[in-house]
PDB file of all heavy atoms in Angstrom:
ATOM      1  N   GLY A 323      -9.544  -3.639  14.957  1.00 97.00           N
ATOM      2  CA  GLY A 323      -9.112  -4.263  13.701  1.00 97.00           C
ATOM      3  C   GLY A 323      -8.290  -3.364  12.794  1.00 97.00           C
ATOM      4  O   GLY A 323      -7.506  -3.803  11.998  1.00 97.00           O
ATOM      5  N   ILE A 324      -8.457  -2.046  12.967  1.00 98.00           N
ATOM      6  CA  ILE A 324      -7.673  -1.114  12.138  1.00 98.00           C
ATOM      7  C   ILE A 324      -6.202  -1.274  12.440  1.00 98.00           C
ATOM      8  O   ILE A 324      -5.374  -1.087  11.560  1.00 98.00           O
ATOM      9  CB  ILE A 324      -8.219   0.325  12.366  1.00 98.00           C
ATOM     10  CG1 ILE A 324      -9.606   0.406  11.761  1.00 98.00           C
ATOM     11  CG2 ILE A 324      -7.296   1.329  11.802  1.00 98.00           C
ATOM     12  CD1 ILE A 324     -10.357   1.688  12.145  1.00 98.00           C
ATOM     13  N   ALA A 325      -5.845  -1.593  13.639  1.00 96.00           N
ATOM     14  CA  ALA A 325      -4.445  -1.740  14.080  1.00 96.00           C
ATOM     15  C   ALA A 325      -3.749  -2.687  13.153  1.00 96.00           C
ATOM     16  O   ALA A 325      -2.626  -2.512  12.738  1.00 96.00           O
ATOM     17  CB  ALA A 325      -4.372  -2.121  15.519  1.00 96.00           C
ATOM     18  N   TYR A 326      -4.418  -3.818  12.860  1.00 95.00           N
ATOM     19  CA  TYR A 326      -3.776  -4.877  12.009  1.00 95.00           C
ATOM     20  C   TYR A 326      -3.604  -4.358  10.612  1.00 95.00           C
ATOM     21  O   TYR A 326      -2.642  -4.747   9.903  1.00 95.00           O
ATOM     22  CB  TYR A 326      -4.684  -6.090  12.020  1.00 95.00           C
ATOM     23  CG  TYR A 326      -4.752  -6.709  13.391  1.00 95.00           C
ATOM     24  CD1 TYR A 326      -5.952  -6.603  14.121  1.00 95.00           C
ATOM     25  CD2 TYR A 326      -3.681  -7.296  14.026  1.00 95.00           C
ATOM     26  CE1 TYR A 326      -6.043  -7.121  15.439  1.00 95.00           C
ATOM     27  CE2 TYR A 326      -3.796  -7.853  15.279  1.00 95.00           C
ATOM     28  CZ  TYR A 326      -4.990  -7.790  15.983  1.00 95.00           C
ATOM     29  OH  TYR A 326      -5.074  -8.268  17.273  1.00 95.00           O
ATOM     30  N   ARG A 327      -4.529  -3.530  10.129  1.00 96.00           N
ATOM     31  CA  ARG A 327      -4.483  -3.000   8.785  1.00 96.00           C
ATOM     32  C   ARG A 327      -3.410  -2.053   8.588  1.00 96.00           C
ATOM     33  O   ARG A 327      -2.895  -1.742   7.499  1.00 96.00           O
ATOM     34  CB  ARG A 327      -5.846  -2.497   8.372  1.00 96.00           C
ATOM     35  CG  ARG A 327      -6.852  -3.660   8.281  1.00 96.00           C
ATOM     36  CD  ARG A 327      -8.294  -3.207   8.422  1.00 96.00           C
ATOM     37  NE  ARG A 327      -8.723  -2.228   7.406  1.00 96.00           N
ATOM     38  CZ  ARG A 327      -9.816  -1.471   7.645  1.00 96.00           C
ATOM     39  NH1 ARG A 327     -10.532  -1.534   8.701  1.00 96.00           N
ATOM     40  NH2 ARG A 327     -10.144  -0.597   6.759  1.00 96.00           N
ATOM     41  N   LEU A 328      -2.956  -1.382   9.717  1.00 97.00           N
ATOM     42  CA  LEU A 328      -1.936  -0.357   9.640  1.00 97.00           C
ATOM     43  C   LEU A 328      -0.575  -0.866  10.194  1.00 97.00           C
ATOM     44  O   LEU A 328       0.367  -0.082  10.267  1.00 97.00           O
ATOM     45  CB  LEU A 328      -2.394   0.920  10.417  1.00 97.00           C
ATOM     46  CG  LEU A 328      -3.620   1.553   9.896  1.00 97.00           C
ATOM     47  CD1 LEU A 328      -4.085   2.695  10.875  1.00 97.00           C
ATOM     48  CD2 LEU A 328      -3.403   2.069   8.525  1.00 97.00           C
ATOM     49  N   GLU A 329      -0.569  -2.130  10.563  1.00 95.00           N
ATOM     50  CA  GLU A 329       0.661  -2.740  11.148  1.00 95.00           C
ATOM     51  C   GLU A 329       1.880  -2.536  10.232  1.00 95.00           C
ATOM     52  O   GLU A 329       1.787  -2.753   9.008  1.00 95.00           O
ATOM     53  CB  GLU A 329       0.412  -4.212  11.422  1.00 95.00           C
ATOM     54  CG  GLU A 329       1.412  -4.797  12.352  1.00 95.00           C
ATOM     55  CD  GLU A 329       1.021  -6.197  12.722  1.00 95.00           C
ATOM     56  OE1 GLU A 329       0.263  -6.864  12.031  1.00 95.00           O
ATOM     57  OE2 GLU A 329       1.396  -6.654  13.850  1.00 95.00           O
ATOM     58  N   GLY A 330       2.935  -2.087  10.833  1.00 94.00           N
ATOM     59  CA  GLY A 330       4.248  -1.961  10.081  1.00 94.00           C
ATOM     60  C   GLY A 330       4.426  -0.584   9.357  1.00 94.00           C
ATOM     61  O   GLY A 330       5.430  -0.355   8.800  1.00 94.00           O
ATOM     62  N   LEU A 331       3.303   0.236   9.374  1.00 95.00           N
ATOM     63  CA  LEU A 331       3.456   1.577   8.710  1.00 95.00           C
ATOM     64  C   LEU A 331       3.908   2.592   9.715  1.00 95.00           C
ATOM     65  O   LEU A 331       3.653   2.503  10.914  1.00 95.00           O
ATOM     66  CB  LEU A 331       2.074   1.960   8.203  1.00 95.00           C
ATOM     67  CG  LEU A 331       1.481   1.020   7.110  1.00 95.00           C
ATOM     68  CD1 LEU A 331       0.069   1.460   6.813  1.00 95.00           C
ATOM     69  CD2 LEU A 331       2.346   1.054   5.843  1.00 95.00           C
ATOM     70  N   THR A 332       4.637   3.564   9.230  1.00 95.00           N
ATOM     71  CA  THR A 332       5.077   4.653  10.125  1.00 95.00           C
ATOM     72  C   THR A 332       4.414   5.988   9.607  1.00 95.00           C
ATOM     73  O   THR A 332       4.171   6.146   8.447  1.00 95.00           O
ATOM     74  CB  THR A 332       6.616   4.841  10.055  1.00 95.00           C
ATOM     75  OG1 THR A 332       7.062   5.077   8.715  1.00 95.00           O
ATOM     76  CG2 THR A 332       7.262   3.585  10.589  1.00 95.00           C
ATOM     77  N   PHE A 333       4.107   6.831  10.597  1.00 97.00           N
ATOM     78  CA  PHE A 333       3.501   8.104  10.304  1.00 97.00           C
ATOM     79  C   PHE A 333       4.205   9.228  10.944  1.00 97.00           C
ATOM     80  O   PHE A 333       4.611   9.200  12.106  1.00 97.00           O
ATOM     81  CB  PHE A 333       2.032   8.056  10.833  1.00 97.00           C
ATOM     82  CG  PHE A 333       1.210   6.941  10.188  1.00 97.00           C
ATOM     83  CD1 PHE A 333       0.983   5.751  10.815  1.00 97.00           C
ATOM     84  CD2 PHE A 333       0.656   7.210   8.948  1.00 97.00           C
ATOM     85  CE1 PHE A 333       0.262   4.716  10.181  1.00 97.00           C
ATOM     86  CE2 PHE A 333      -0.100   6.213   8.307  1.00 97.00           C
ATOM     87  CZ  PHE A 333      -0.263   4.980   8.987  1.00 97.00           C
ATOM     88  N   GLN A 334       4.387  10.329  10.110  1.00 97.00           N
ATOM     89  CA  GLN A 334       4.982  11.512  10.603  1.00 97.00           C
ATOM     90  C   GLN A 334       4.137  12.215  11.651  1.00 97.00           C
ATOM     91  O   GLN A 334       4.608  12.851  12.594  1.00 97.00           O
ATOM     92  CB  GLN A 334       5.299  12.439   9.423  1.00 97.00           C
ATOM     93  CG  GLN A 334       6.113  13.697   9.739  1.00 97.00           C
ATOM     94  CD  GLN A 334       7.526  13.370  10.154  1.00 97.00           C
ATOM     95  OE1 GLN A 334       8.080  12.382   9.721  1.00 97.00           O
ATOM     96  NE2 GLN A 334       8.106  14.266  10.932  1.00 97.00           N
ATOM     97  N   ALA A 335       2.855  12.120  11.423  1.00 98.00           N
ATOM     98  CA  ALA A 335       1.821  12.749  12.315  1.00 98.00           C
ATOM     99  C   ALA A 335       0.597  11.898  12.356  1.00 98.00           C
ATOM    100  O   ALA A 335       0.255  11.246  11.370  1.00 98.00           O
ATOM    101  CB  ALA A 335       1.564  14.160  11.857  1.00 98.00           C
ATOM    102  N   VAL A 336      -0.128  11.970  13.506  1.00 98.00           N
ATOM    103  CA  VAL A 336      -1.461  11.300  13.665  1.00 98.00           C
ATOM    104  C   VAL A 336      -2.376  12.435  14.180  1.00 98.00           C
ATOM    105  O   VAL A 336      -2.124  13.002  15.245  1.00 98.00           O
ATOM    106  CB  VAL A 336      -1.383  10.146  14.633  1.00 98.00           C
ATOM    107  CG1 VAL A 336      -2.764   9.528  14.791  1.00 98.00           C
ATOM    108  CG2 VAL A 336      -0.419   9.085  14.199  1.00 98.00           C
ATOM    109  N   TRP A 337      -3.443  12.643  13.422  1.00 98.00           N
ATOM    110  CA  TRP A 337      -4.424  13.746  13.786  1.00 98.00           C
ATOM    111  C   TRP A 337      -5.817  13.031  13.920  1.00 98.00           C
ATOM    112  O   TRP A 337      -6.218  12.211  13.132  1.00 98.00           O
ATOM    113  CB  TRP A 337      -4.511  14.799  12.725  1.00 98.00           C
ATOM    114  CG  TRP A 337      -3.256  15.574  12.502  1.00 98.00           C
ATOM    115  CD1 TRP A 337      -2.155  15.702  13.329  1.00 98.00           C
ATOM    116  CD2 TRP A 337      -2.930  16.364  11.352  1.00 98.00           C
ATOM    117  NE1 TRP A 337      -1.218  16.485  12.791  1.00 98.00           N
ATOM    118  CE2 TRP A 337      -1.605  16.890  11.558  1.00 98.00           C
ATOM    119  CE3 TRP A 337      -3.607  16.658  10.163  1.00 98.00           C
ATOM    120  CZ2 TRP A 337      -0.959  17.736  10.640  1.00 98.00           C
ATOM    121  CZ3 TRP A 337      -2.968  17.498   9.276  1.00 98.00           C
ATOM    122  CH2 TRP A 337      -1.665  18.014   9.521  1.00 98.00           C
ATOM    123  N   SER A 338      -6.554  13.605  14.909  1.00 98.00           N
ATOM    124  CA  SER A 338      -7.923  13.051  15.116  1.00 98.00           C
ATOM    125  C   SER A 338      -8.868  14.230  15.379  1.00 98.00           C
ATOM    126  O   SER A 338      -8.539  15.217  15.984  1.00 98.00           O
ATOM    127  CB  SER A 338      -7.899  12.129  16.328  1.00 98.00           C
ATOM    128  OG  SER A 338      -9.206  11.669  16.615  1.00 98.00           O
ATOM    129  N   SER A 339     -10.118  13.948  14.903  1.00 98.00           N
ATOM    130  CA  SER A 339     -11.232  14.845  15.378  1.00 98.00           C
ATOM    131  C   SER A 339     -11.245  14.685  16.889  1.00 98.00           C
ATOM    132  O   SER A 339     -10.998  13.643  17.423  1.00 98.00           O
ATOM    133  CB  SER A 339     -12.524  14.360  14.751  1.00 98.00           C
ATOM    134  OG  SER A 339     -13.642  14.891  15.391  1.00 98.00           O
ATOM    135  N   PRO A 340     -11.720  15.719  17.577  1.00 98.00           N
ATOM    136  CA  PRO A 340     -11.876  15.613  19.042  1.00 98.00           C
ATOM    137  C   PRO A 340     -13.102  14.789  19.498  1.00 98.00           C
ATOM    138  O   PRO A 340     -13.225  14.495  20.682  1.00 98.00           O
ATOM    139  CB  PRO A 340     -11.973  17.066  19.500  1.00 98.00           C
ATOM    140  CG  PRO A 340     -12.510  17.848  18.307  1.00 98.00           C
ATOM    141  CD  PRO A 340     -11.967  17.078  17.089  1.00 98.00           C
ATOM    142  N   SER A 341     -13.973  14.454  18.568  1.00 98.00           N
ATOM    143  CA  SER A 341     -15.146  13.648  18.954  1.00 98.00           C
ATOM    144  C   SER A 341     -14.656  12.370  19.585  1.00 98.00           C
ATOM    145  O   SER A 341     -13.738  11.768  19.146  1.00 98.00           O
ATOM    146  CB  SER A 341     -16.033  13.423  17.767  1.00 98.00           C
ATOM    147  OG  SER A 341     -15.470  12.413  16.887  1.00 98.00           O
ATOM    148  N   GLN A 342     -15.372  11.882  20.580  1.00 98.00           N
ATOM    149  CA  GLN A 342     -15.009  10.625  21.221  1.00 98.00           C
ATOM    150  C   GLN A 342     -15.122   9.453  20.239  1.00 98.00           C
ATOM    151  O   GLN A 342     -14.320   8.545  20.314  1.00 98.00           O
ATOM    152  CB  GLN A 342     -15.840  10.332  22.497  1.00 98.00           C
ATOM    153  CG  GLN A 342     -17.253   9.940  22.350  1.00 98.00           C
ATOM    154  CD  GLN A 342     -17.978   9.591  23.611  1.00 98.00           C
ATOM    155  OE1 GLN A 342     -17.435   8.827  24.400  1.00 98.00           O
ATOM    156  NE2 GLN A 342     -19.129  10.174  23.867  1.00 98.00           N
ATOM    157  N   ARG A 343     -16.023   9.479  19.265  1.00 98.00           N
ATOM    158  CA  ARG A 343     -16.120   8.360  18.303  1.00 98.00           C
ATOM    159  C   ARG A 343     -14.849   8.262  17.483  1.00 98.00           C
ATOM    160  O   ARG A 343     -14.357   7.184  17.173  1.00 98.00           O
ATOM    161  CB  ARG A 343     -17.399   8.405  17.515  1.00 98.00           C
ATOM    162  CG  ARG A 343     -17.528   9.692  16.637  1.00 98.00           C
ATOM    163  CD  ARG A 343     -18.899   9.813  16.061  1.00 98.00           C
ATOM    164  NE  ARG A 343     -19.099  10.955  15.207  1.00 98.00           N
ATOM    165  CZ  ARG A 343     -19.452  12.142  15.659  1.00 98.00           C
ATOM    166  NH1 ARG A 343     -19.680  12.370  16.968  1.00 98.00           N
ATOM    167  NH2 ARG A 343     -19.569  13.190  14.767  1.00 98.00           N
ATOM    168  N   ALA A 344     -14.330   9.415  17.064  1.00 98.00           N
ATOM    169  CA  ALA A 344     -13.151   9.404  16.231  1.00 98.00           C
ATOM    170  C   ALA A 344     -11.870   9.148  17.097  1.00 98.00           C
ATOM    171  O   ALA A 344     -11.017   8.304  16.755  1.00 98.00           O
ATOM    172  CB  ALA A 344     -12.919  10.747  15.512  1.00 98.00           C
ATOM    173  N   PHE A 345     -11.818   9.790  18.241  1.00 98.00           N
ATOM    174  CA  PHE A 345     -10.626   9.609  19.065  1.00 98.00           C
ATOM    175  C   PHE A 345     -10.563   8.180  19.630  1.00 98.00           C
ATOM    176  O   PHE A 345      -9.494   7.613  19.767  1.00 98.00           O
ATOM    177  CB  PHE A 345     -10.499  10.662  20.154  1.00 98.00           C
ATOM    178  CG  PHE A 345      -9.157  10.579  20.871  1.00 98.00           C
ATOM    179  CD1 PHE A 345      -8.042  11.039  20.230  1.00 98.00           C
ATOM    180  CD2 PHE A 345      -9.060  10.004  22.144  1.00 98.00           C
ATOM    181  CE1 PHE A 345      -6.759  10.916  20.899  1.00 98.00           C
ATOM    182  CE2 PHE A 345      -7.820   9.884  22.732  1.00 98.00           C
ATOM    183  CZ  PHE A 345      -6.671  10.369  22.143  1.00 98.00           C
ATOM    184  N   ASP A 346     -11.703   7.656  20.058  1.00 98.00           N
ATOM    185  CA  ASP A 346     -11.721   6.301  20.590  1.00 98.00           C
ATOM    186  C   ASP A 346     -11.300   5.319  19.509  1.00 98.00           C
ATOM    187  O   ASP A 346     -10.636   4.324  19.757  1.00 98.00           O
ATOM    188  CB  ASP A 346     -13.047   5.890  21.176  1.00 98.00           C
ATOM    189  CG  ASP A 346     -13.280   6.503  22.547  1.00 98.00           C
ATOM    190  OD1 ASP A 346     -12.326   7.087  23.132  1.00 98.00           O
ATOM    191  OD2 ASP A 346     -14.391   6.409  23.058  1.00 98.00           O
ATOM    192  N   THR A 347     -11.729   5.552  18.223  1.00 98.00           N
ATOM    193  CA  THR A 347     -11.256   4.677  17.128  1.00 98.00           C
ATOM    194  C   THR A 347      -9.741   4.763  17.016  1.00 98.00           C
ATOM    195  O   THR A 347      -9.109   3.766  16.859  1.00 98.00           O
ATOM    196  CB  THR A 347     -12.018   5.136  15.824  1.00 98.00           C
ATOM    197  OG1 THR A 347     -13.398   4.999  16.021  1.00 98.00           O
ATOM    198  CG2 THR A 347     -11.524   4.309  14.649  1.00 98.00           C
ATOM    199  N   CYS A 348      -9.254   5.967  17.081  1.00 98.00           N
ATOM    200  CA  CYS A 348      -7.806   6.230  17.042  1.00 98.00           C
ATOM    201  C   CYS A 348      -7.048   5.466  18.166  1.00 98.00           C
ATOM    202  O   CYS A 348      -6.101   4.722  17.961  1.00 98.00           O
ATOM    203  CB  CYS A 348      -7.532   7.721  17.112  1.00 98.00           C
ATOM    204  SG  CYS A 348      -5.820   8.155  17.216  1.00 98.00           S
TER     205      CYS A 348
END
Side-chain angles (χ1 to χ4, degrees):
I324 292 167
Y326 299 107
R327 293 158 57 201
L328 298 174
E329 195 169 27
L331 298 172
T332 58
F333 298 98
Q334 185 69 25
V336 179
W337 298 342
S338 176
S339 162
S341 72
Q342 71 175 312
R343 62 191 180 272
F345 189 73
D346 283 352
T347 300
C348 174

